[in-house]
Amino acid sequence: MKLPVFDTAGNRIREIDAADEVFAIEPNGAVLHQAYVAQMANRRAGLANTKRRGEVAGSTIKIRRQKGLGRSRQGSIRAPHHVGGGSAHGPKPHSFAKQLPRTMKRLALRSALSNHAQNGSLLVVDGLAAPDGKTRTVQAVLDALKVDRRAIIVSGEHNPELTRAARNIENVKALPAQNLNVVDLLNAHHVVMSEDAVRKCEALWGGANVKPQRGRTREAV
């Protein structure tokens, strides 16, 4: 697949070859959905907690005798229907974590990258790094590329100057290629990558890392 390369002034200068198995596959919507839900679920702490009737403070003595008063039968003051009683069906701390096979995670990432590439929202920029670490430098590049909505800036390796320069721009996030994830890719309207980031993605999720699809074969009877 051919990806256009732009300079920091927004001019298209050349094209590069990108691996089809990473940037040109048919996006798998079902796997993307599962990966997105799993990642969001894994962010949940699951710390909501309520006390049961055996955990709240209160006497264990029976409120009143069972019969003879013409009133309803009552037991503990800590029962859920009493003020200050325990919760009947409240939440308890538990994990919301969801596990996905590694092949599904890789397919989801390749699907998200391919979707951006097919829609023209994946931009490869030559000289993307901000060596001065200034926000206005990165903002000028984004303005030249007409990136005015939520975007992620992807570098080949961790770039502290680029991260520091981009963190003050609203709805813009900078991260290295190895930290790409489905949630950031799907939430972003634009993906701005360096050429090193493209090669890093190919090394991580393309070539020998892509397992071929194995179809079922029936033996002749």
Side-chain angles (χ1 to χ4, degrees):
M1 182 180 186
K2 298 288 187 180
L3 291 177
V5 180
F6 300 86
D7 59 14
T8 54
N11 301 315
R12 181 168 176 169
I13 54 178
R14 54 191 172 88
E15 289 185 341
I16 61 173
D17 291 319
D20 290 343
E21 61 268 19
V22 178
F23 295 97
I25 69 170
E26 181 67 25
N28 191 317
V31 172
L32 278 172
H33 177 264
Q34 290 185 60
Y36 191 97
V37 170
Q39 185 174 340
M40 295 301 293
N42 292 340
R43 291 182 178 182
R44 299 184 65 176
L47 300 179
N49 185 28
T50 54
K51 291 184 178 181
R52 301 288 191 258
R53 62 186 295 166
E55 298 171 325
V56 297
S59 175
T60 59
I61 193 171
K62 187 173 174 62
I63 298 175
R64 52 179 175 265
R65 60 192 176 96
Q66 182 80 353
K67 303 178 70 65
L69 298 179
R71 302 183 65 185
S72 62
R73 295 167 289 184
Q74 296 295 321
S76 173
I77 193 66
R78 298 186 294 180
H81 62 286
H82 286 292
V83 175
S87 175
H89 302 289
K92 280 292 184 180
H94 68 283
S95 174
F96 290 90
K98 297 180 182 294
Q99 299 295 330
L100 285 182
R102 183 168 58 179
T103 53
M104 289 183 64
K105 295 178 183 178
R106 293 176 179 273
L107 177 58
L109 285 168
R110 297 199 305 271
S111 295
L113 289 171
S114 297
N115 184 57
H116 278 291
Q118 293 170 14
N119 294 335
S121 54
L122 191 152
L123 307 173
V124 182
V125 180
D126 187 16
L128 182 60
D132 55 2
K134 294 184 178 180
T135 300
R136 64 168 174 252
T137 302
V138 178
Q139 185 65 65
V141 175
L142 297 178
D143 291 342
L145 296 171
K146 299 181 180 179
V147 175
D148 54 358
R149 304 183 70 182
R150 185 180 290 109
I152 56 175
I153 302 175
V154 187
S155 57
E157 301 294 339
H158 175 60
N159 189 329
E161 291 79 14
L162 182 61
T163 302
R164 183 169 61 252
R167 68 186 178 187
N168 288 328
I169 305 176
E170 187 178 6
N171 295 326
V172 173
K173 181 178 182 180
L175 71 167
Q178 62 184 8
N179 290 348
L180 273 178
N181 58 86
V182 173
V183 170
D184 285 339
L185 285 171
L186 292 184
N187 287 342
H189 295 95
H190 300 278
V191 179
V192 182
M193 305 181 73
S194 65
E195 187 172 349
D196 291 340
V198 173
R199 303 308 176 203
K200 185 70 173 181
C201 291
E202 292 175 341
L204 289 172
W205 305 303
N209 292 321
V210 179
K211 292 185 178 181
Q213 299 292 329
R214 298 181 178 178
R216 294 184 177 180
T217 59
R218 293 185 177 180
E219 296 180 359
V221 179

